[in-house]
Amino acid sequence: MYLTRFRINTARVGARRLLSSSQRLHAAVMSSFVEAAPRHEEGGPRVLWRIDRNAKPEVILYVVSPDRPDLTHLVEQAGWPTTGTWQTYDYADFLSRLTAGDTWAFRLTANPVHNIRRTADEPRKRTAHLTPRYQAQWLLKRQKEAGFRVLEKPKEQRRLAEGDEHQLIIHGRDPRSFGKTEEATGRKNHVSLVAVTFDGRLEITDADAMRRTLTSGLGKAKAYGCGLMTLAPVG
């Protein structure tokens, strides 16, 4: 597994075009590999990517992948062709050292959704969670199976009697909408999703499950920049 970091030059027209469409960015990321990515097994390693907008001039593309990518085309289209490059790190060694009980800061961009229906005979429809309260609940419901628990705040640091128990910040709500053509049928569909970013602190409870989460993603819309969690040292 590999973790790749690429800084996007937002002054370039090609960069702005890519950033305006999750589908274009997905295609650009997948074009970084010599061999077409095989269909992934459920829960197995796959190509994941995420855009971090740390500040207006600093936009970073992160990619986690089973194979080492070549981002030459992105440097030419959306980077600094004469001075810019990308950094790719061997992720396997980091993953192998994860241990239950370790604490980390984390960032996750995800697509929190649930299935609803208005009547008993109506088919269920996938709908986005739109409020921070339910977005947080979406993540907390998945933490055990994903191999971690979000750390709680000391009681004296909680500003609210309810809903402020965890070391978790939700921000960067990003509605995305684009057209998609089905490969098998050629049918054109309209895709709409809402991506949000979670920042917080966690404790690893199951190292194997945590490794699966980091390499296979969490939640839906993984092809469109959702599901990638990264860890950083606390403090």
Side-chain angles (χ1 to χ4, degrees):
M1 294 298 298
Y2 298 91
L3 172 66
T4 299
R5 181 184 186 275
F6 170 69
R7 183 173 176 181
I8 294 176
N9 182 353
T10 56
R12 305 197 66 184
V13 173
R16 295 196 294 271
R17 185 172 182 272
L18 284 174
L19 291 171
S20 69
S21 169
S22 296
Q23 189 176 35
R24 291 193 196 109
L25 256 175
H26 168 68
V29 169
M30 299 310 292
S31 297
S32 303
F33 305 97
V34 176
E35 301 292 339
R39 294 188 65 85
H40 67 279
E41 297 180 6
E42 187 66 29
R46 60 174 294 160
V47 177
L48 300 166
W49 62 272
R50 186 182 80 215
I51 291 291
D52 280 9
R53 291 176 170 83
N54 299 325
K56 187 174 182 180
E58 185 180 73
V59 178
I60 307 296
L61 168 67
Y62 288 97
V63 180
V64 165
S65 57
D67 300 319
R68 180 184 289 272
D70 183 338
L71 303 188
T72 302
H73 62 300
L74 281 175
V75 174
E76 294 170 347
Q77 182 179 1
W80 286 265
T82 60
T83 60
T85 184
W86 65 92
Q87 300 82 41
T88 296
Y89 307 95
D90 185 345
Y91 207 29
D93 180 60
F94 171 78
L95 294 170
S96 69
R97 290 186 279 109
L98 296 177
T99 305
D102 290 348
T103 58
W104 295 89
F106 74 90
R107 171 166 288 183
L108 166 70
T109 294
N111 173 223
V113 295
H114 61 135
N115 294 317
I116 63 170
R117 60 184 177 189
R118 290 169 295 185
T119 62
D121 57 351
E122 184 181 57
R124 290 186 178 274
K125 180 181 179 182
R126 184 181 297 169
T127 304
H129 286 301
L130 298 178
T131 63
R133 175 184 176 185
Y134 288 107
Q135 290 163 350
Q137 289 179 5
W138 175 90
L139 179 62
L140 295 172
K141 286 178 180 178
R142 286 156 179 78
Q143 61 181 345
K144 182 178 180 179
E145 184 177 352
F148 64 89
R149 70 175 184 91
V150 179
L151 296 178
E152 294 188 359
K153 291 181 180 179
K155 290 185 178 180
E156 63 272 15
Q157 294 182 11
R158 300 176 187 178
R159 298 182 179 181
L160 303 173
E162 185 178 355
D164 192 32
E165 298 88 354
H166 295 88
Q167 297 187 41
L168 183 65
I169 298 172
I170 302 170
H171 61 94
R173 178 179 165 186
D174 180 14
R176 305 175 185 179
S177 180
F178 50 90
K180 176 184 177 183
T181 302
E182 299 293 340
E183 292 183 8
T185 64
R187 180 181 177 184
K188 293 185 178 180
N189 295 322
H190 185 76
V191 178
S192 296
L193 61 91
V194 176
V196 297
T197 298
F198 300 87
D199 284 331
R201 293 185 175 185
L202 60 77
E203 177 186 343
I204 296 175
T205 55
D206 182 330
D208 289 336
M210 186 79 248
R211 281 186 276 269
R212 286 194 298 273
T213 297
L214 296 175
T215 57
S216 65
L218 188 62
K220 304 292 185 181
K222 297 183 181 74
Y224 303 114
C226 297
L228 174 55
M229 175 183 281
T230 51
L231 304 180
V234 171

